[in-house]
Amino acid sequence: MKTIKLDKNPLKLVKDVLNDLKASPDLGIYKCVQCGMCASICPGASQTEYDPRDMIRRVLENDETIIDDETIWDCFSCYTCNSICPSGNNASEVNQILRQMSIEKGEGAQKIKDFCAYGDSFMEMGIGSIPNEFFNVMVKDVGNKYMDLKVNIEDIRTDLGLGNYILPKESTDEIEAILDNSGFKVRLEKIKRCKK
Amino acid sequence: MSKAQLNKNKSNLKIGVFLCRCGGNISDIIDMEKLRLSVKAEVIEEFENLCSINGRKIIRDNIIKKNLDRVVVAACSPITHEKTFQNYVSPLNPYLLEMANIREQCSWVNPDNITATEKAISIVNAAIEKVKYSQPLVPILRKTPNTAAVIGGGISGISASLSLARQGIETYLIEKEPTIGGSMVKVGKLFSPEKLAEECAMCLLNPLVNEAVQNKNINIITNTTLKSAERRAGNFNLLIENKARKVITDRCISCGNCAEVCPVEVKDSWNEGMTIRKAIYKPFSQAVPDVYTIDPENCKKCGKCQDVCRMDAIDLTMEDEIIPMTVGSVVIATGHKTFDMNKRPEYSYGRHKDILTQMELARVMGVNGPTKGELLKPSDGKVPQRVVMIQCVGSRDEKPGGRKYCSKVCCMVAIKHANVIKQHYPDTDVIIGYTDMRTPGMYEKYFKYAQSNEVRLIRGRPGEIEEKDGIFIVRLEDTLSKEPLEIETDLVVLSTAMEPSEGTVDVSNILDVGLTEELFVKEKHSKIKPVATEVEGIYVCGTAQGPKDITDSIVQANAASAKVSELINGGVELEPFVANIDNSKCNLCKKCIDVCKYKAAFIQDNMLSVDPVACVGCGACLWECENNAIEIIGQTDEQILSMITGMLKDKKPDETRIIAFLDSVGYVSADNIGINKINVPSSIRIIKIPSMNRIMPKHLLHAFNMGADGIIMGEYPYNPMYSKTKEKVNGLKQELIKNNINPDRLAFYKVYIPYFRGLANKFNKFNNQIIELGKIGSKIDS
Ligand code: SF4
Ligand code: SF4
Ligand code: SF4
Ligand code: SF4
């Protein structure tokens, strides 16, 4: 049996989520009526154990184990739940805030470790490019033409009359400085260091 | 006596002041001896209990013996005993009495006898100064003509009309459709939570309709809409437009020959567009009036109907007609419409024939509907294997175009239809997808009955309906088992929201009554004045005011007609403290008309008039009038200025005094401070003013000139003129700045009756703030 303890701060988790930098000013968690409309059309919910309605319920019930619950990583960020919610709530936004909380705590960092290469490419070239580690997946999904595109990118761009996509050094230096000063670099390193 | 005469004689007026000790309540704190010596009047008497019969004798004997012209009673609050003392001053006119509240607002809030006595002196002085300008008045007797217009001929309008007519009131029942009956005739069955049974709606409605037809006090005017309305001294002058029926009512015998030959076919709105009717038609067989009507939008004027009509009843040249009428009251009963499903494409409504609304299902199951009462799918005419009902479609919905409220009846409607289906088609599975089943009161019994009829309930709000190989997939989460579900079905029914009808919005705009955020007619007060609108003499009932069921609509209709009857029969006496126009100064600029939210001012025969029943004497119009053509009786400038003078004339140099203008709510709140014996600063001097809209710069400047150090204005925020007041306070502050007075010396507060502690706190805070600012005229002010 679960006990609702005489707690000083029974709504701590909702408040933390609402106070998060990412939370929109009108994020309507409190208004959720648990109708399940979001879950009814959520691709994550139809294919996995993720349930946006239940995630909201756990936030409202101050169940902090939701932060490290594996299922929150099964959201596709498609925002369908947001567009359908009749109560002005936004499950996808809550999901993203919970993920950030999980990353801060450490547990979630490993979930995004593989994506650090995106960060590196930003730091080096000032653009996001698909890391080499994902080439095999991309070929599997898109087919061989993906490799063709990768290899012949310069020619294809010339044919299309597009300019050089490599940024000049002063630009990349500037971007790196921004990413450094904004704390992005430190965060990236921290995530890289986490254990799988 | 004219005003000029009154003013001339002012100094010679014989005033009697009667001081009440109130069994020590007053005299234990206030030095009565000093009070008596400090006021000037023809007669000054003191007594233990002035409100007693002996008190009455003292007052009356003095009036008669000393020939008094005016009386001041210094005792408790006027709220407690003004009516008593108004009786006691007879043979004087009751309005020549003024009360000085030295108990609730003095002895009970000021424990120190020196300052309390000083305060009492100024309160009595203010009353003396004011009463010099009082005029003999007679209360206004409200007289409303014995006629009413009911707009909308559904169950609410019919019920209201019947009730009015039975009370002898001549009633015009105006309906925009060719027949009366509204939505109730369409719903087929009504359910009874007591009998756990469904009854025939038409059978219940028909006797009422027949009575309406037969009652000589009811004039049923169909095919007609309201075009314009003007308010004239308790009357409404209406213009209604009667759309040409093109069939002469007295001649048509309803044989239907015309419809047989008419070549034009249109969707029949009576069957929610599921069947076809002709351009000449009768909505349904029991329609009242029982005649055919031509729908001019679709008629081709071919004349075929005319050829076959043996009664020569058809006149294709008949023209629309504008009819003027004058009535004493108006009842709005314009009803509702259902949610526009184009706003919710996720439910595929309109793309598949077998996705219906509850109203369409009602028609399908109605014995006079397209399938003669059989539950057959519109697509193939077969009985459905399963019916899935979806609740809260467009209700409880914050998405664009959605309705935030609960439509209140759809849960019961769904259960009714589910029960009817289960009784006649036990093999058809019925599932209701719901978020909350709302079946309050007796309806819960009917809900239980549905459960025992094997109606199934799944808690979840469907997100979409998809068609796959000829069947529908309804997607929802079973929120109780945390399982995303796909329900296969061959018929879907949507419980769509109730919305205000276009008629409700149009009529309200024409009559100038307020609408809610959701565009329903706004009641004067949603709890205690549920059928009155903001305009005196206009009432609302039924779904025009908000979603409700038939029972509630009838209850409200009867309440509305009782209110009309109160106006007509009550002969209510009203206080005469209303706006009075000096037509020699008025140049008909209409500014007062524009500002008055009570719609009290109007122009008739090139003269500005004020309807004394509608006017509340708030004084907002005085500000607008550049010609000084308006005064408020009982609150004239002389009276306000003299009360201020009285409150301040004996102020000592080292003393702080604050004038608090409070409206009637604020005044009661201030009395409550006294009743609860909470102390307030001795500086506070309260003057009652009906609305802060009455306060003008000259009043404030006079108070500051007379030595007030600060001024408080307190107003109850839930009155129609409040927004105006707030604007005004800024203007007043500007005036103070112009006159080298620190605007912080003026404070504006909201007041509420139960929140008297809050008011006491505000008095204290403001008092401290004023002491910090220093005396009026100090450095801070220049
Ligand atoms: S988030 Fe919105 S859609 Fe989801 S359960 Fe709550 S109210 Fe329903
Ligand atoms: S005149 Fe109009 S109503 Fe009459 S038959 Fe022709 S189309 Fe129909
Ligand atoms: S009555 Fe029932 S279906 Fe209708 S809005 Fe309210 S809860 Fe929803
Ligand atoms: S005093 Fe107020 S209610 Fe009366 S006419 Fe003027 S604005 Fe209207």
Side-chain angles (χ1 to χ4, degrees), chain B residues 300-343:
Chain B
K300 297 191 305 190
K301 297 204 166 72
C302 68
K304 286 191 178 136
C305 52
Q306 251 172 335
D307 296 343
V308 297
C309 179
R310 273 171 293 159
M311 299 301 295
D312 203 10
I314 299 167
D315 174 6
L316 292 174
T317 63
M318 197 186 271
E319 289 194 0
D320 297 353
E321 198 185 350
I322 302 273
I323 309 166
M325 62 166 62
T326 300
V327 292
S329 315
V330 179
V331 176
I332 304 175
T334 40
H336 66 279
K337 64 173 197 230
T338 52
F339 188 71
D340 173 11
M341 279 310 300
N342 287 325
K343 291 184 201 152

Side-chain angles (χ1 to χ4, degrees), chain A residues 24 36 41 47-48 57 64 70 88 107 132 151 161-162 166 191:
Chain A
S24 324
I41 40 74
Q47 304 303 322
T48 73
R57 179 188 63 79
E64 283 180 299
E70 286 285 322
E107 305 270 335
N132 294 342
V151 174
L162 300 169
I166 308 286
I191 290 166

Side-chain angles (χ1 to χ4, degrees), chain B residues 579 595-596 598 600-601 610 614-621 632 721:
Chain B
V595 76
C596 178
Y598 299 94
V610 167
C615 175
V616 299
C618 69
C621 49
I632 304 292
M721 301 300 268

Side-chain angles (χ1 to χ4, degrees), chain A residues 122-123 171-189:
Chain A
F122 267 120
M123 302 277 289
S171 302
T172 52
D173 284 352
E174 210 173 312
I175 291 171
E176 191 179 353
I178 293 170
L179 295 175
D180 193 359
N181 285 320
S182 62
F184 181 83
K185 198 172 174 180
V186 178
R187 190 142 193 258
L188 194 62
E189 292 311 317

